[in-house]
Amino acid sequence: MSDSEGKAGRSDGQGLVFAGGCPRSGLTLLRRLLEPHRHAHCGPDTGLPPSIAMQWQNFARELGPLHAQDFDLGAEDMRRTMADLLTGMISAPLDQPPIKVLVEKTSLNVAAFDPLGRLLPQARFIHVVRDGRDVANSLLARNWRDPQGRPFPHVSNTGAALKYWTDLTGIGLAAERSLAGRIIRIRYEDLATRPKATVTRLMTFLGLKFEPAQLHYATRNIELHGLEHDSAPLINQPLTRRRVGAGAALDGQVTAPTRQRLNELGYGAQPTGTKRRRMRV
């Protein structure tokens, strides 16, 4: 494939993978495990994919007929224009050999998986999930505030944190159905407890081979950006299962909808803390 053909294919999402999930579910860990691979690039969050995909979806729904009627801009022309805007802003690493796959891992990509899948019909997706009780426990330790300086409900109220996880995982599961064959679900717990098997499965999905260096990411320096700093220093340490079950004490506050979602994702049993030890890789 020529360079021009490769770049043209990006309007359909060729070589692009969007990872997303509820914040505090392990997306920065995913980045650490992908980045050592010779043929993969996974940088920090950009926030661009959900913003542009949602904008395109709104344009198509509200102004689509006007585009065709008044500006001779058909639906496919509009899709390609918005796709070119997004890919032009994030796909530069694919121009650098030997990179073959670019993973963009903004957590709230999960809220736009479905429109992203329609905007970029060849793109693939990674839905990262984690036990909602552990996610809520981690969210409640954040100091995230709105522009007026008020803490967000999902970092200051247990019920709101659990509902936030329930709502976002529900959107992710709906996308798994609509994007069947183009999306893979990766559990934080599997990354922590069965890293080689889980990363190998992920790389197969991406069309790449597992490389042992991926499990030794802690030996590589990486610059964290934005909210990624909230994952330091744990994210710069070897793989550990110490955070699995960290939210066990919140189980008594789980509502029926959240309990159903926990069961749906395989988290039916009440979590228990685990011994703090390094994983063998």
Side-chain angles (χ1 to χ4, degrees):
M1 179 185 296
S2 69
D3 288 345
S4 60
E5 289 173 330
K7 291 181 179 180
R10 289 182 203 164
S11 292
D12 291 331
Q14 191 174 80
L16 297 176
V17 182
F18 297 95
C22 185
R24 310 307 301 169
S25 291
L27 282 150
T28 303
L29 174 60
L30 180 75
R31 178 190 176 197
R32 293 296 265 144
L33 288 163
L34 285 171
E35 192 60 23
H37 198 284
R38 292 170 298 164
H39 300 301
H41 175 81
C42 183
D45 307 23
T46 69
L48 292 169
S51 299
I52 293 175
M54 292 296 193
Q55 190 80 287
W56 168 71
Q57 181 173 254
N58 290 337
F59 283 163
R61 181 174 57 242
E62 304 295 336
L63 299 176
L66 294 179
H67 289 148
Q69 175 182 315
D70 298 333
F71 303 109
D72 196 27
L73 186 61
E76 174 59 17
D77 296 324
M78 191 63 193
R79 183 204 68 79
R80 188 167 293 275
T81 297
M82 295 296 282
D84 286 342
L85 172 64
L86 174 55
T87 59
M89 297 177 79
I90 68 172
S91 65
L94 289 172
D95 295 331
Q96 306 299 319
I99 300 301
K100 297 179 180 178
V101 172
L102 168 66
V103 179
E104 203 290 334
K105 61 109 183 146
T106 297
S107 61
L108 291 183
N109 281 342
V110 68
F113 275 170
D114 188 63
L116 278 168
R118 289 182 281 110
L119 181 64
L120 300 166
Q122 290 190 43
R124 288 169 291 175
F125 300 86
I126 304 170
H127 182 201
V128 180
V129 301
R130 182 185 182 189
D131 189 312
R133 294 158 291 201
D134 292 353
V135 170
N137 180 69
S138 185
L139 285 171
L140 293 169
R142 305 306 112 201
N143 187 29
W144 298 344
R145 296 175 178 267
D146 66 19
Q148 286 71 46
R150 297 169 300 198
F152 290 107
H154 61 277
V155 302
S156 54
N157 178 275
T158 301
L162 289 166
K163 185 177 186 302
Y164 185 67
W165 174 84
T166 305
D167 290 345
L168 284 178
T169 51
I171 295 171
L173 287 173
E176 288 185 21
R177 293 187 289 271
S178 65
L179 297 169
R182 299 170 57 195
I183 188 169
I184 187 173
R185 184 193 306 167
I186 296 293
R187 299 191 346 154
Y188 170 91
E189 293 78 11
D190 293 337
L191 289 174
T193 62
R194 300 188 301 116
K196 184 175 181 179
T198 306
V199 175
T200 298
R201 181 170 69 92
L202 173 60
M203 302 318 292
T204 299
F205 170 76
L206 298 179
L208 300 173
K209 292 184 178 180
F210 166 78
E211 294 181 352
Q214 293 180 259
L215 300 187
H216 301 284
Y217 63 80
T219 63
R220 294 168 56 94
N221 292 324
I222 190 170
E223 185 176 354
L224 301 178
H225 296 265
L227 294 180
E228 289 184 327
H229 289 290
D230 284 344
S231 298
L234 282 176
I235 205 64
N236 291 318
Q237 298 176 2
L239 281 165
T240 175
R241 64 173 76 195
R242 75 177 75 180
R243 304 305 299 165
V244 176
L250 301 182
D251 189 69
Q253 300 182 60
V254 169
T255 62
T258 296
R259 183 74 64 193
Q260 180 178 346
R261 184 61 37 74
L262 287 166
N263 290 334
E264 191 173 3
L265 290 170
Y267 298 118
Q270 182 171 340
T272 56
T274 55
K275 294 182 179 179
R276 295 189 175 188
R277 63 184 179 87
R278 290 184 179 182
M279 291 300 303
R280 293 181 179 180
V281 298

